[in-house]
Amino acid sequence: MNVKENVQQILEHFHIEQFQHDLIDWFRTEQRNLPWRKNKDPYKIWVSEVMLQQTRVDTVIPYFYQFIEKFPTLDALADAKEEEVLKAWEGLGYYSRVRNLHAAVKEVKEKYGGRVPASKEQFSSLKGVGPYTTGAVLSIAYGIPEPAVDGNVMRVLSRIFYITDDIARASTRKKFEQIVSCIISHDDPSDFNQALMELGALVCTPKNPSCFLCPVQRHCRAFAEGVEAELPVKTKGKAPKHVAFRAIVLTNEEGKIRIEKRPSSGLLANLWQFPNDEHAPTPNEQAFIKEISERYHVVLRSIQRIGTFEHVFSHIVWHIEAYKGNALELQIDDETNKWVTVDELNQYAFPVIYQKIWQAYE
Ligand code: SF4
């Protein structure tokens, strides 16, 4: 059986219109009052959708306000320097999201006169824009009936249709996109997609879904069979790799702090950090002092421990042993290595773990 036939079979005996009605009605009365829902500005909706990837709504809200205040229009973001954009994103993580967004809005400004394209082909060809973002922005901002299927929506639909396919597989996502293409409301695709997302966030949650309060309970096959807790099926990815290294808040005789820019590609690209031995972790403090002295061209005699810091990325976990130390400087500043004052430090975007080290140092 091909995917199309399989989808047809899944939708047999499913009351599409009644489902749309129950879902959208509930959304219109119960939806949360979120800042990006205040209007249909495609730029703001796009920013919110990018922020919401892998990040909780509560965390996103203050960032969204700050970001939109700083870059109120697509043109303002397109014209901004990368350093400013990274600074506004500082702490949100997954920085490739904002680098891609920045590149994409520049393209929109150049190619489409600053208007977010309403065409699926044009919008989805922009940097960093995948099928989910395409569906979310086109449906919410322009009312185009495109599916917006992320992990949240797949969980809800796995339960409603009692689908046991592994949601970690790309083919499963495609199947769900086909299902949503068939059941999406053409009268109100915006509310339909948002309602599915909202249902996943408020009612059909990963653990202990609130089935007895659910507006689409009568359509839900997993609930009817009592198997909602077993869905969705998702295989685990590889265990993250643990990496331990040292870092130091290094000050010079004037009390300035040494910072350096990370490489322009790879993890946390172009963010700033304190001197460290991430690429060749040293076995002990003496070796670390020697490494820092040679690599950063300073005379460093002793260091003091600040503490141990941990940060979990999707595929890697960092354990940083952090120190402080005074050094006699021998190296002059350049574009990627600087001595800065405490006030100047605030102009540079640092990964969260280095912000924590700084707070502990202070
Ligand atoms: Fe989710 Fe339960 Fe509603 Fe089904 S009835 S959609 S499992 S909350």
Side-chain angles (χ1 to χ4, degrees):
M1 193 188 302
N2 64 31
V3 181
K4 203 171 161 199
E5 286 166 350
N6 186 218
V7 168
Q8 272 171 359
Q9 196 182 52
I10 290 168
L11 293 176
E12 233 177 300
H13 309 301
F14 189 75
H15 300 289
I16 295 177
E17 277 183 26
Q18 190 60 52
F19 175 76
Q20 293 169 346
H21 182 266
D22 292 346
L23 182 68
I24 292 174
D25 259 18
W26 167 81
F27 177 70
R28 287 181 182 156
T29 53
E30 299 296 328
Q31 65 175 297
R32 287 167 295 176
N33 181 17
L34 300 174
W36 44 89
R37 288 187 176 153
K38 291 211 166 79
N39 60 44
K40 300 271 182 190
D41 180 340
Y43 161 68
K44 290 177 186 156
I45 289 162
W46 186 5
V47 169
S48 72
E49 287 300 337
V50 174
M51 285 187 170
L52 286 164
Q53 287 161 21
Q54 283 126 337
T55 311
R56 292 162 49 86
V57 165
D58 295 352
T59 309
V60 165
I61 290 172
Y63 278 96
F64 179 80
Y65 278 123
Q66 278 171 41
F67 198 87
I68 293 299
E69 195 181 322
K70 197 159 177 47
F71 312 113
T73 61
L74 185 140
D75 281 4
L77 180 59
D79 293 340
K81 290 199 184 89
E82 188 189 42
E83 195 67 49
E84 278 179 277
V85 178
L86 286 175
K87 185 71 193 166
W89 202 269
E90 186 185 59
L92 257 185
Y94 299 96
Y95 293 87
S96 57
R97 292 182 296 176
V98 71
R99 271 191 289 272
N100 287 339
L101 175 67
H102 196 203
V105 296
K106 283 182 182 179
E107 192 179 336
V108 170
K109 188 179 174 198
E110 278 161 28
K111 266 192 171 165
Y112 308 113
R115 188 171 192 275
V116 176
S119 131
K120 181 180 174 185
E121 285 67 35
Q122 289 174 344
F123 187 66
S124 63
S125 71
L126 296 167
K127 200 162 181 198
V129 175
Y132 170 77
T133 312
T134 303
V137 174
L138 295 193
S139 64
I140 299 171
Y142 293 123
I144 296 170
E146 273 297 320
V149 173
D150 64 356
N152 192 33
V153 167
M154 283 198 281
R155 178 181 64 256
V156 174
L157 295 178
S158 291
R159 290 169 175 169
I160 291 171
F161 293 105
Y162 194 170
I163 291 173
T164 54
D165 299 23
D166 178 2
I167 63 164
R169 296 176 60 156
S171 58
T172 307
R173 178 184 297 263
K174 290 221 162 62
K175 188 193 236 179
F176 282 122
E177 283 168 357
Q178 291 208 7
I179 291 174
V180 175
S181 295
C182 296
I183 64 171
I184 193 168
S185 160
H186 283 242
D187 292 334
D188 198 340
S190 167
D191 276 6
F192 182 90
N193 275 344
Q194 290 187 83
L196 269 186
M197 297 171 198
E198 198 77 340
L199 190 71
L202 301 181
V203 180
C204 194
T205 46
K207 286 188 186 137
N208 306 322
S210 308
C211 299
F212 289 100
L213 300 173
C214 179
V216 294
Q217 187 209 79
R218 61 173 156 163
H219 304 274
C220 183
R221 292 172 185 169
F223 176 75
E225 301 288 331
V227 293
E228 64 277 3
E230 290 156 38
L231 294 165
V233 173
K234 186 180 181 187
T235 51
K236 285 213 167 70
K238 272 201 254 160
K241 190 175 150 198
H242 288 258
V243 177
F245 59 96
R246 295 181 164 85
I248 183 164
V249 179
L250 197 60
T251 46
N252 69 8
E253 291 168 307
E254 298 166 50
K256 286 187 173 176
I257 300 122
R258 182 87 198 169
I259 60 169
E260 66 178 4
K261 199 174 192 176
R262 293 180 62 82
S264 57
S265 60
L267 185 66
L268 305 169
N270 282 345
L271 294 187
W272 290 78
Q273 62 185 6
F274 300 122
N276 61 72
D277 60 359
E278 178 190 339
H279 296 294
T282 47
N284 54 47
E285 288 182 10
Q286 282 315 311
F288 180 61
I289 291 174
K290 187 166 177 284
E291 163 75 13
I292 292 294
S293 304
E294 287 172 6
R295 181 128 61 94
Y296 297 93
H297 304 281
V298 292
V299 177
L300 176 65
R301 303 212 192 282
S302 65
I303 56 177
Q304 284 170 277
R305 196 173 162 279
I306 299 175
T308 306
F309 299 80
E310 186 184 291
H311 192 82
V312 181
F313 299 93
S314 52
H315 59 297
I316 200 166
V317 183
W318 272 2
H319 305 268
I320 301 185
E321 200 65 44
Y323 297 87
K324 60 181 177 178
N326 275 101
L328 190 66
E329 74 182 90
L330 302 174
Q331 195 183 15
I332 312 160
D333 287 0
D334 61 30
E335 274 307 298
T336 55
N337 284 280
K338 294 175 191 291
W339 290 100
V340 296
T341 64
V342 174
D343 283 349
E344 286 165 345
L345 201 62
N346 293 325
Q347 296 159 19
Y348 298 89
F350 281 78
V352 168
I353 191 164
Y354 282 101
Q355 291 176 41
K356 287 184 181 157
I357 291 172
W358 175 250
Q359 281 158 11
Y361 167 82
E362 275 197 307

mmCIF file of all heavy atoms in Angstrom, residues 83-99:
data_model
loop_
_atom_site.group_PDB
_atom_site.id
_atom_site.type_symbol
_atom_site.label_atom_id
_atom_site.label_comp_id
_atom_site.label_asym_id
_atom_site.label_seq_id
_atom_site.Cartn_x
_atom_site.Cartn_y
_atom_site.Cartn_z
ATOM 1 N N GLU A 83 26.612 41.005 14.701
ATOM 2 C CA GLU A 83 26.941 41.083 16.124
ATOM 3 C C GLU A 83 25.720 41.523 16.954
ATOM 4 O O GLU A 83 25.438 40.964 18.008
ATOM 5 C CB GLU A 83 28.079 42.106 16.280
ATOM 6 C CG GLU A 83 28.782 42.057 17.595
ATOM 7 C CD GLU A 83 29.571 40.764 17.794
ATOM 8 O OE1 GLU A 83 30.339 40.373 16.897
ATOM 9 O OE2 GLU A 83 29.394 40.146 18.849
ATOM 10 N N GLU A 84 24.987 42.516 16.422
ATOM 11 C CA GLU A 84 23.788 43.021 17.128
ATOM 12 C C GLU A 84 22.703 41.956 17.183
ATOM 13 O O GLU A 84 21.985 41.825 18.179
ATOM 14 C CB GLU A 84 23.173 44.173 16.329
ATOM 15 C CG GLU A 84 23.761 45.522 16.484
ATOM 16 C CD GLU A 84 22.986 46.459 15.560
ATOM 17 O OE1 GLU A 84 23.309 46.524 14.345
ATOM 18 O OE2 GLU A 84 22.043 47.090 16.041
ATOM 19 N N VAL A 85 22.568 41.228 16.074
ATOM 20 C CA VAL A 85 21.510 40.222 15.991
ATOM 21 C C VAL A 85 21.812 39.081 16.962
ATOM 22 O O VAL A 85 20.933 38.620 17.702
ATOM 23 C CB VAL A 85 21.382 39.697 14.538
ATOM 24 C CG1 VAL A 85 20.324 38.613 14.450
ATOM 25 C CG2 VAL A 85 21.045 40.844 13.593
ATOM 26 N N LEU A 86 23.065 38.651 16.991
ATOM 27 C CA LEU A 86 23.450 37.581 17.928
ATOM 28 C C LEU A 86 23.251 38.025 19.370
ATOM 29 O O LEU A 86 22.821 37.261 20.226
ATOM 30 C CB LEU A 86 24.915 37.175 17.711
ATOM 31 C CG LEU A 86 25.213 36.348 16.462
ATOM 32 C CD1 LEU A 86 26.713 36.132 16.313
ATOM 33 C CD2 LEU A 86 24.506 34.993 16.504
ATOM 34 N N LYS A 87 23.569 39.293 19.623
ATOM 35 C CA LYS A 87 23.406 39.820 20.988
ATOM 36 C C LYS A 87 21.927 39.769 21.404
ATOM 37 O O LYS A 87 21.609 39.427 22.545
ATOM 38 C CB LYS A 87 23.942 41.260 21.039
ATOM 39 C CG LYS A 87 23.941 41.871 22.419
ATOM 40 C CD LYS A 87 24.987 41.248 23.322
ATOM 41 C CE LYS A 87 24.778 41.615 24.770
ATOM 42 N NZ LYS A 87 25.559 40.792 25.684
ATOM 43 N N ALA A 88 21.029 40.114 20.474
ATOM 44 C CA ALA A 88 19.596 40.097 20.799
ATOM 45 C C ALA A 88 19.090 38.668 21.012
ATOM 46 O O ALA A 88 18.065 38.453 21.643
ATOM 47 C CB ALA A 88 18.796 40.773 19.685
ATOM 48 N N TRP A 89 19.815 37.702 20.480
ATOM 49 C CA TRP A 89 19.417 36.290 20.586
ATOM 50 C C TRP A 89 20.132 35.615 21.756
ATOM 51 O O TRP A 89 19.832 34.467 22.097
ATOM 52 C CB TRP A 89 19.786 35.585 19.278
ATOM 53 C CG TRP A 89 19.024 34.327 18.988
ATOM 54 C CD1 TRP A 89 19.374 33.050 19.335
ATOM 55 C CD2 TRP A 89 17.796 34.201 18.260
ATOM 56 N NE1 TRP A 89 18.446 32.147 18.873
ATOM 57 C CE2 TRP A 89 17.469 32.829 18.211
ATOM 58 C CE3 TRP A 89 16.934 35.123 17.645
ATOM 59 C CZ2 TRP A 89 16.325 32.353 17.568
ATOM 60 C CZ3 TRP A 89 15.802 34.640 17.008
ATOM 61 C CH2 TRP A 89 15.507 33.286 16.979
ATOM 62 N N GLU A 90 21.065 36.314 22.358
ATOM 63 C CA GLU A 90 21.939 35.735 23.384
ATOM 64 C C GLU A 90 21.127 35.029 24.474
ATOM 65 O O GLU A 90 20.243 35.627 25.072
ATOM 66 C CB GLU A 90 22.765 36.841 24.026
ATOM 67 C CG GLU A 90 23.802 36.362 25.001
ATOM 68 C CD GLU A 90 24.503 37.537 25.680
ATOM 69 O OE1 GLU A 90 23.811 38.338 26.334
ATOM 70 O OE2 GLU A 90 25.714 37.651 25.540
ATOM 71 N N GLY A 91 21.428 33.757 24.689
ATOM 72 C CA GLY A 91 20.728 32.990 25.715
ATOM 73 C C GLY A 91 19.631 32.092 25.167
ATOM 74 O O GLY A 91 19.192 31.173 25.832
ATOM 75 N N LEU A 92 19.167 32.364 23.935
ATOM 76 C CA LEU A 92 18.090 31.536 23.371
ATOM 77 C C LEU A 92 18.617 30.213 22.818
ATOM 78 O O LEU A 92 17.875 29.251 22.655
ATOM 79 C CB LEU A 92 17.374 32.283 22.241
ATOM 80 C CG LEU A 92 16.025 32.897 22.529
ATOM 81 C CD1 LEU A 92 15.419 33.473 21.266
ATOM 82 C CD2 LEU A 92 15.045 31.895 23.130
ATOM 83 N N GLY A 93 19.915 30.191 22.491
ATOM 84 C CA GLY A 93 20.517 28.950 21.998
ATOM 85 C C GLY A 93 20.200 28.660 20.541
ATOM 86 O O GLY A 93 19.483 29.418 19.890
ATOM 87 N N TYR A 94 20.741 27.558 20.050
ATOM 88 C CA TYR A 94 20.564 27.147 18.638
ATOM 89 C C TYR A 94 20.752 28.347 17.715
ATOM 90 O O TYR A 94 19.843 28.760 16.998
ATOM 91 C CB TYR A 94 19.181 26.526 18.419
ATOM 92 C CG TYR A 94 18.934 25.290 19.249
ATOM 93 C CD1 TYR A 94 18.264 25.376 20.461
ATOM 94 C CD2 TYR A 94 19.383 24.041 18.827
ATOM 95 C CE1 TYR A 94 18.049 24.238 21.243
ATOM 96 C CE2 TYR A 94 19.167 22.901 19.602
ATOM 97 C CZ TYR A 94 18.492 23.018 20.800
ATOM 98 O OH TYR A 94 18.271 21.910 21.557
ATOM 99 N N TYR A 95 21.956 28.908 17.777
ATOM 100 C CA TYR A 95 22.216 30.185 17.094
ATOM 101 C C TYR A 95 22.157 30.103 15.574
ATOM 102 O O TYR A 95 22.008 31.119 14.914
ATOM 103 C CB TYR A 95 23.562 30.756 17.554
ATOM 104 C CG TYR A 95 23.513 31.170 19.003
ATOM 105 C CD1 TYR A 95 23.793 30.257 20.006
ATOM 106 C CD2 TYR A 95 23.121 32.451 19.366
ATOM 107 C CE1 TYR A 95 23.706 30.605 21.346
ATOM 108 C CE2 TYR A 95 23.026 32.807 20.701
ATOM 109 C CZ TYR A 95 23.325 31.883 21.686
ATOM 110 O OH TYR A 95 23.211 32.234 22.997
ATOM 111 N N SER A 96 22.272 28.872 15.015
ATOM 112 C CA SER A 96 22.173 28.795 13.547
ATOM 113 C C SER A 96 20.784 29.257 13.107
ATOM 114 O O SER A 96 20.609 29.762 12.002
ATOM 115 C CB SER A 96 22.465 27.384 13.054
ATOM 116 O OG SER A 96 21.593 26.494 13.676
ATOM 117 N N ARG A 97 19.777 29.127 13.996
ATOM 118 C CA ARG A 97 18.427 29.592 13.646
ATOM 119 C C ARG A 97 18.444 31.078 13.303
ATOM 120 O O ARG A 97 17.847 31.510 12.327
ATOM 121 C CB ARG A 97 17.473 29.429 14.842
ATOM 122 C CG ARG A 97 17.171 28.027 15.225
ATOM 123 C CD ARG A 97 16.191 27.968 16.386
ATOM 124 N NE ARG A 97 16.697 28.536 17.636
ATOM 125 C CZ ARG A 97 15.982 28.647 18.746
ATOM 126 N NH1 ARG A 97 14.737 28.263 18.780
ATOM 127 N NH2 ARG A 97 16.513 29.161 19.841
ATOM 128 N N VAL A 98 19.099 31.870 14.146
ATOM 129 C CA VAL A 98 19.037 33.321 13.928
ATOM 130 C C VAL A 98 19.986 33.749 12.808
ATOM 131 O O VAL A 98 19.705 34.709 12.087
ATOM 132 C CB VAL A 98 19.293 34.107 15.228
ATOM 133 C CG1 VAL A 98 20.720 34.046 15.681
ATOM 134 C CG2 VAL A 98 18.854 35.560 15.076
ATOM 135 N N ARG A 99 21.076 33.009 12.640
ATOM 136 C CA ARG A 99 21.964 33.346 11.506
ATOM 137 C C ARG A 99 21.233 33.093 10.192
ATOM 138 O O ARG A 99 21.302 33.885 9.260
ATOM 139 C CB ARG A 99 23.254 32.525 11.585
ATOM 140 C CG ARG A 99 24.350 33.216 12.402
ATOM 141 C CD ARG A 99 25.660 32.503 12.224
ATOM 142 N NE ARG A 99 25.586 31.223 12.904
ATOM 143 C CZ ARG A 99 25.898 31.068 14.195
ATOM 144 N NH1 ARG A 99 26.351 32.076 14.907
ATOM 145 N NH2 ARG A 99 25.788 29.886 14.757
#
